[in-house]
Amino acid sequence: MICTFCPRHCHADRVERLGFCRASNDLEVSSVSIHKGEEPPLAGTKGVVNIFFAHCNLQCLFCQNKDISRGEVAPELVKYRTVDAVVDRVAELLPQTENVVGFVSPTHYAAFVPAIVEALHQRGLFPVVVYNTNGYDSVESLRLVAPYVDVYLPDFKYMDAELAQRYSHACDYPEKAQLALLEMYSQKGAGLPTDENGIAFRGIIIRHLVLPGQVQNSIDCLRWIADNLSERVHISLMAQYFPPQGVVLPDQLGRTLGENEYQQVVDEFNALGFSRGWVQELDSNLCFRPDFSQNQSFEV
């Protein structure tokens, strides 16, 4: 596989030479778990089955999933290495959930998404498919997975290129994420239709994590969405940042978010005319912390 799935375009063959994300040519999934922390139209009351891929194409300094995303992932934290193994586990858990499957950090394994979805269909399973990505996607990879994705759940992390470089090693993140968001929006529009149980079956929800000390970056992200997509798009404005243990962090990333910081961003959200979406309590940083050494990586 000559990899061009993300905007880095490493052109790594992933057999002889690994690219930036350190992903191999083989499927590597660290967890297939029930997760109840997604937005209400996805999680409902019973949660979703999330497929957590190992490795990541951003390498954010503050990643809460750092044990499976950063550098070389410990072999014991890669629990599923074939499509069949992933599908077996999804099939086991799916009846306990809202019939929703999430692909988490899937960009570097986008080629496996069609195979996994098709294998589920062959077993008579037709879940809502959520593409939960950091936003650093190529338009080409999004078009590849488009026939298999019902709901896009992208991050929009940065409008500040220098900040993107310093925190996520991707100075072109703003430009590339904007192109990715435009593509997702062109596929799904601003609507988020739901079934009789309130579960979304099509659409886009844009997540933005407010970082401590970076209020202006958050405001700029919201303004871009309002100006270039729509104030009708659903936004999940997240306050759950927490500094991961054992990592030396720059700037103010060593602390959680301040109440005044988050309120400034919420005020801008309202001033821009956004009326669809969700905000969080500041103590949300205490919730949904993963333990990827366990088969069920999140408390349910």
Side-chain angles (χ1 to χ4, degrees):
M1 177 192 300
I2 303 300
C3 187
T4 59
F5 286 119
C6 89
R8 294 189 190 278
H9 285 261
C10 291
H11 289 89
D13 63 15
R14 288 169 61 162
V15 174
E16 299 296 331
R17 180 179 67 85
L18 301 182
F20 177 88
C21 69
R22 312 300 295 168
S24 75
N25 207 41
D26 301 317
L27 180 62
E28 295 178 89
V29 170
S30 289
S31 176
V32 181
S33 301
I34 296 174
H35 187 38
K36 295 186 176 180
E38 309 292 31
E39 286 69 16
L42 302 177
T45 60
K46 295 185 285 186
V48 310
V49 179
N50 269 345
I51 300 168
F52 290 87
F53 293 92
H55 309 286
C56 185
N57 64 327
L58 273 190
Q59 304 292 297
C60 300
L61 300 181
F62 51 83
C63 182
Q64 68 173 10
N65 298 343
K66 64 181 178 63
D67 290 343
I68 65 169
S69 66
R70 299 281 297 277
E72 301 296 335
V73 178
E76 65 270 19
L77 294 182
V78 179
K79 299 185 175 69
Y80 308 89
R81 297 181 181 271
T82 67
V83 169
D84 284 345
V86 170
V87 172
D88 285 345
R89 178 64 169 163
V90 172
E92 175 189 349
L93 297 178
L94 198 60
Q96 305 171 48
T97 71
E98 300 287 359
N99 197 41
V100 178
V101 170
F103 290 85
V104 183
S105 299
T107 304
H108 49 298
Y109 284 116
F112 287 93
V113 170
I116 293 171
V117 174
E118 288 174 357
L120 288 168
H121 291 175
Q122 288 168 6
R123 298 193 188 194
L125 300 172
F126 295 89
V128 172
V129 173
V130 178
Y131 202 71
N132 181 344
T133 168
N134 58 37
Y136 196 51
D137 298 278
S138 70
V139 170
E140 294 78 12
S141 67
L142 295 173
R143 291 176 179 169
L144 170 70
V145 302
Y148 304 92
V149 171
D150 299 302
V151 179
Y152 284 109
L153 186 60
D155 292 339
F156 186 29
K157 296 179 181 291
Y158 308 109
M159 275 293 288
D160 183 327
E162 191 277 331
L163 200 66
Q165 177 63 29
R166 189 158 78 242
Y167 291 175
S168 299
H169 312 285
C171 63
D172 61 348
Y173 180 94
E175 171 195 352
K176 301 303 184 182
Q178 289 164 24
L179 292 174
L181 289 172
L182 288 166
E183 175 62 25
M184 296 178 201
Y185 186 78
S186 74
Q187 293 181 22
K188 303 299 181 184
L192 193 70
T194 58
D195 64 16
E196 64 276 9
N197 297 314
I199 302 302
F201 56 85
R202 176 184 171 86
I204 178 173
I205 299 171
I206 301 174
R207 284 176 166 174
H208 176 73
L209 176 65
V210 183
L211 297 173
Q214 302 299 340
V215 167
Q216 190 59 50
N217 176 66
S218 294
I219 288 173
D220 290 343
C221 286
L222 292 176
R223 289 175 178 172
W224 185 89
I225 295 169
D227 290 344
N228 295 276
L229 301 181
S230 170
E231 70 279 359
R232 297 177 62 250
V233 75
H234 290 72
I235 295 179
S236 182
L237 197 59
M238 303 167 74
Q240 68 187 47
Y241 174 83
F242 66 90
Q245 294 183 343
V247 180
V248 178
L249 297 166
D251 305 329
Q252 300 183 58
L253 291 182
R255 63 174 176 84
T256 55
L257 190 64
E259 181 178 0
N260 181 60
E261 292 175 307
Y262 189 57
Q263 189 59 52
Q264 289 180 66
V265 181
V266 172
D267 289 346
E268 183 68 15
F269 175 91
N270 292 324
L272 289 168
F274 290 109
S275 59
R276 297 174 170 181
W278 302 269
V279 296
Q280 287 185 319
E281 301 294 332
L282 280 181
D283 62 2
S284 60
N285 67 80
L286 301 174
C287 304
F288 303 114
R289 298 191 180 190
D291 180 357
F292 290 106
S293 67
Q294 305 298 315
N295 285 334
Q296 174 57 45
S297 300
F298 289 83
E299 292 184 6
V300 294

